[in-house]
Structure formats: C-alpha cells, structure tokens
Amino acid sequence: MAKVIIAGGTGMIGQRIEKLLIENKHDVFILTRSPKKENHIAWNPKLKSLDTSKIEGTNYIINLCGENIGEKRWSQKRKNELYSSRIETNEFLFDQFHGVNSLKLFLSASGISCYPLEPATKKWKESDPYGVNYLSVLVKEWEKSADLFARIVPVAKLRTSMVLDQKEGALQKLLPLAKFGVLSPMGSGKQWMNWIHAEDVARAYVFTLENDLEGTYNLTGEPVNNVDFTRALLHSQGRKLIFPKIPSFLLKLILGQQATIVLDGAFGDNSLLKEKGFSYKFEKLSSALTNLFPNK
C-alpha cells in the first residue's frame, strides 16, 4: 500500500483514479480548495497555500491540474490562466514537496497536442520533437516544470488525448449535435484526432504508478481522422453523416486562434506504454463508443 496525493483530484479523471487506487488498497489524499472529506487536504496554488500537516510519508504525487483549453476563447488573460494552472502549479508542488524523503515518483498530466503537424502521415513518438504552435509550446513548458521533480525522484508525464466520457469533457458539446444528427466534420476532416476512454486514462495512471514507470508516454487509443470520428459518433447515436464539412475560415472566425483545437492534429503513437505492459480496454473508437452508449 502506498500513500498517494492527487492534485486536481476532484474532477472526472481524478475521481476515477482515486476510486481505482482505493480498490487497489492505496491510501489516497486529494488536494482541493474546498476540503469536505477526511482525505481532503486544503490548498490554493494561486495563493501559494497548502496544509502540510498531512503530506509527510507521501510516496506518489499525481498532478492533474490544468485549465480546460477548450472552455474559453484564448484571450491573453486566458492564456495566462492556461499557463499558470499547469506550470506554476507544478512549481508550487515542487516547492512544497521537495523535502519529503518518502517520495518515489511524480506523475504529471500533459497534452498530446505537442507534435508538429507535418508530415501528416507520420506517427509521432514521445522521442520526437515538439511543434512550434501555441499548444506545443505550452506542453513543452508544462513538461519542463514537471521535470523539476527529476532532481529528487523519477518523473512520469502522460500526454493525454481528448477524454471520452458520457457526461463530461468534449462529448458534452458534441453529443447533443450527434443526437439530432446535425454534427459535421470540421475543416478538411483529414486532421488526426487522438482520443481515449476515461476508464483507460485512470487505468494508465494507476499502471504507471504501480510499476514506477519513468518518462513520457502518449496516452491515446487508435487515432482516427475527424471525418471518421464524426461518422462514428453519429453512428453511436443511431444517426448518419449527412451535413457538409464546416469550412476552416468560419471556425477561425468564430474561435480565433483556439480553432487549432479542432482543425489541427497529429497522429500520436501509443506503442511505448504498451511495450511497458499496459493494455487498453478500449483501443478502438468503435469499442469505446459502444461501451459509452450501449443501448443505441
């Protein structure tokens, strides 16, 4: 049994990881701004405050913190929030935990939107270079801040894809359109979409922790292009693809720089984590959607 602290643990992914860790007999504590349970630890990374009375004996830290990149338009203020919620949070955790001698591993969330977009046919591995667009640079800085912990313990970074869950995340916005059959491909429709079932995200974090893995890992099912993703999601709701693609210029007009989230994508190779022994339950999009929507 290990003592695990999860930052950002009250969200969808954190709750799944907590549940699985507890099932595996680990002692789990959650860093939260609004402590309500016995295993909650009060903190506020913006104010640089943390109740340190419960951190001694910690073996593993999982940091899931990071404002949602798709939630708001990317004003300069929003970009600052995206940066601080990732980089400055890692820095604050290091400041607070670098003297905890029981630490064995630091696990940081990361993003798979970090690779160059060309060539489009390439399957990008973790050892490949970062891209140069905004998201790539953000991920680069995010991972650099996680590596502060490499001074004292091994570090694992999980480059997580778009998470598929029935009630939260990206499907929250797409599902109503799919249900009414009005969902359309975006831009060229050829851009790669990396995705992962929420259950596999939790399983991957616990696998990484329990096997003391070090390094960077792409966390994605088998990528598909945007047209195929759209078609599959519509099919999961008993609908067919009938509407034309939404032009890129229109999405850029509406979303600004943020349009890159839906218009761009590089194929993330997930073989490294599998080579370490991890097995996806839902590696194919069809199996993931069948699990999420079994009665359709």
Side-chain angles (χ1 to χ4, degrees):
M1 182 178 76
K3 180 176 180 178
V4 184
I5 286 183
I6 306 177
T10 57
M12 169 185 66
I13 299 302
Q15 290 178 43
R16 284 179 176 265
I17 294 173
E18 179 187 14
K19 181 175 182 293
L20 188 53
L21 285 170
I22 291 173
E23 288 175 358
N24 289 7
K25 311 301 182 184
H26 297 294
D27 197 10
V28 184
F29 292 84
I30 306 296
L31 298 185
T32 174
R33 290 180 176 86
S34 303
K36 298 175 182 177
K37 299 180 180 179
E38 188 176 343
N39 71 328
H40 284 182
I41 299 174
W43 84 322
N44 189 320
K46 287 186 178 180
L47 299 179
K48 302 292 189 279
S49 66
L50 170 68
D51 177 3
T52 59
S53 64
K54 294 182 180 179
I55 70 172
E56 284 301 319
T58 300
N59 304 122
Y60 298 91
I61 302 171
I62 299 175
N63 186 14
L64 303 172
C65 294
E67 291 283 344
N68 189 333
I69 61 170
E71 192 172 289
K72 299 177 182 178
R73 196 178 177 95
W74 289 351
S75 62
Q76 188 55 53
K77 178 183 177 182
R78 184 57 178 170
K79 285 184 177 181
N80 291 341
E81 292 170 346
L82 296 176
Y83 181 93
S84 63
S85 64
R86 289 165 169 78
I87 289 82
E88 292 179 8
T89 300
N90 274 340
E91 292 172 346
F92 177 61
L93 284 171
F94 180 73
D95 287 341
Q96 299 298 305
F97 283 88
H98 71 271
V100 178
N101 296 326
S102 55
L103 278 182
K104 295 182 178 180
L105 183 72
F106 178 70
L107 286 77
S108 176
S110 184
I112 204 166
S113 300
C114 61
Y115 298 109
L117 300 175
E118 297 294 338
T121 55
K122 181 175 174 60
K123 296 182 179 181
W124 296 91
K125 295 181 179 292
E126 294 85 347
S127 56
D128 287 321
Y130 297 95
V132 295
N133 63 3
Y134 172 72
L135 286 179
S136 295
V137 173
L138 180 65
V139 172
K140 183 178 181 179
E141 293 299 312
W142 193 1
E143 294 184 348
K144 180 180 177 182
S145 67
D147 282 333
L148 285 170
F149 275 88
R151 301 175 187 177
I152 55 172
V153 291
V155 175
K157 294 159 285 190
L158 299 185
R159 291 177 174 171
T160 308
S161 311
M162 175 178 65
V163 178
L164 301 188
D165 181 85
Q166 278 182 316
K167 299 178 180 179
E168 296 187 47
L171 289 187
Q172 251 188 332
K173 297 179 180 180
L174 299 176
L175 198 55
L177 299 174
K179 286 181 176 179
F180 286 102
V182 296
L183 186 65
S184 297
M186 300 182 186
S188 70
K190 297 178 181 179
Q191 66 273 29
W192 291 109
M193 295 184 66
N194 297 286
W195 61 271
I196 185 165
H197 192 294
E199 184 175 339
D200 275 336
V201 178
R203 291 178 61 249
Y205 270 91
V206 175
F207 177 86
T208 301
L209 181 151
E210 292 185 336
N211 288 276
D212 289 305
L213 297 188
E214 183 178 4
T216 307
Y217 300 93
N218 289 335
L219 195 53
T220 178
E222 186 175 286
V224 296
N225 66 39
N226 180 258
V227 169
D228 288 342
F229 182 91
T230 305
R231 184 180 288 112
L233 184 55
L234 284 163
H235 179 74
S236 75
Q237 303 304 306
R239 300 288 185 171
K240 293 183 178 180
L241 177 58
I242 58 175
F243 284 88
K245 300 170 186 174
I246 302 174
S248 298
F249 79 87
L250 184 59
L251 289 165
K252 290 177 181 178
L253 184 65
I254 296 170
L255 299 174
Q257 189 181 5
Q258 195 180 14
T260 186
I261 297 173
V262 295
L263 293 177
D264 301 320
F267 191 115
D269 186 312
N270 69 1
S271 60
L272 183 58
L273 191 60
K274 291 192 292 184
E275 290 170 5
K276 297 293 184 178
F278 181 72
S279 177
Y280 287 86
K281 285 186 70 173
F282 308 103
E283 191 168 7
K284 299 284 187 181
L285 182 60
S286 57
S287 66
L289 293 176
T290 297
N291 174 263
L292 292 170
F293 309 109
N295 299 319
K296 294 293 183 179

